[in-house]
Amino acid sequence: SSCINAEYGGADWKDTVIPCTEEGFKKWFGETKENLGLDFPNLPYLIDGDVKLTETLAILRYLGRKFDMMPVDAAKGDMVEQTIMDHRQQLGKISYNPDFEKLKPAYLEKLKIHLDRLTKFIGDGPFLFGNKVSYVDILAYEFLEHARALSPESFGEPIMAFLGRVANLPRIKKWLESEECTNKTYTINSPMATWPGAPVSGA
């Protein structure tokens, strides 16, 4: 989602990918991780001039402030952000569990409730907070695409319409269709996960 935020903001940026291979791990842990000047070395990371950040939400909020992509309602923006992260973490948790198939039905029940509530929140939209696109829209888009890869049948027309509106924003559309876009080539989780998650195409 940081890549999509940067693209929507019109940034001149470069994506550094760490391959999930023995060689990739060796390079990251042995050569790169402790030598970037990061306060808390981790993935993902962002370097923007003198600004060096790790942690997904810290990066997203920074990009949101930089590119005027903050929610018009700050309190509800925080609420929706955290709700999305809660569900994203739940999906990640079961994805690495050996009992994934047993846990999946209960997760999908929770997902249905979440999608119903999110649909009601979006209302007439077109985005989460009206006409202005925020970093929370991008965060929601990425999570929903991950969940759709797991259960496309859970997604009705209103949520699909929201995904389509985000994906068809000109800069985002151009990036999603480009060769540089890793969203369509890398699995959602690492290859070691019980459910790695193949990306879906088209919203």
Side-chain angles (χ1 to χ4, degrees):
S1 51
S2 299
C3 297
I4 301 176
N5 269 281
E7 195 64 35
Y8 180 77
D12 182 12
W13 63 282
K14 178 182 177 182
D15 192 12
T16 301
V17 177
I18 310 298
C20 288
T21 62
E22 183 177 348
E23 182 180 351
F25 293 151
K26 183 178 180 181
K27 184 173 182 179
W28 168 248
F29 288 107
E31 302 174 21
T32 309
K33 183 178 180 181
E34 299 296 337
N35 295 307
L36 293 172
L38 301 169
D39 294 312
F40 301 96
N42 203 351
L43 294 172
Y45 67 84
L46 176 143
I47 299 176
D48 182 18
D50 294 333
V51 176
K52 296 185 178 183
L53 296 174
T54 52
E55 302 303 328
T56 298
L57 289 180
I59 292 170
L60 289 177
R61 291 170 186 166
Y62 171 78
L63 293 172
R65 289 187 289 268
K66 182 180 179 73
F67 296 118
D68 189 26
M69 295 175 64
M70 299 301 288
V72 293
D73 186 326
K76 287 197 173 183
D78 291 347
M79 175 184 71
V80 177
E81 173 202 272
Q82 293 302 313
T83 299
I84 293 165
M85 289 302 293
D86 284 346
H87 284 271
R88 180 175 174 169
Q89 288 165 5
Q90 288 174 34
L91 177 56
K93 187 175 181 179
I94 69 165
S95 295
Y96 287 85
N97 194 305
D99 292 325
F100 171 75
E101 291 298 335
K102 293 180 181 178
L103 298 170
K104 179 179 172 180
Y107 173 78
L108 292 182
E109 284 297 318
K110 293 179 182 178
L111 177 64
K112 182 182 183 303
I113 295 171
H114 177 57
L115 292 177
D116 289 343
R117 290 174 176 167
L118 195 57
T119 297
K120 183 178 179 181
F121 186 87
I122 295 170
D124 294 330
F127 302 104
L128 285 168
F129 301 96
N131 291 318
K132 182 181 179 183
V133 178
S134 74
Y135 78 88
V136 186
D137 287 289
I138 308 301
L139 179 67
Y141 171 82
E142 184 178 71
F143 161 69
L144 292 170
E145 284 292 272
H146 292 178
R148 188 163 75 95
L150 174 66
S151 178
E153 63 276 8
S154 297
F155 284 70
E157 195 280 329
I159 288 293
M160 289 301 297
F162 168 76
L163 291 174
R165 288 192 292 271
V166 175
N168 283 302
L169 290 164
R171 285 176 178 165
I172 293 177
K173 178 179 173 67
K174 182 178 178 181
W175 186 71
L176 290 173
E177 294 175 349
S178 73
E179 293 299 320
E180 291 75 27
C181 177
T182 55
N183 289 40
K184 58 191 177 186
T185 55
Y186 283 80
T187 56
I188 292 164
N189 300 300
S190 83
M192 288 93 76
T194 307
W195 182 71
V200 294
S201 60

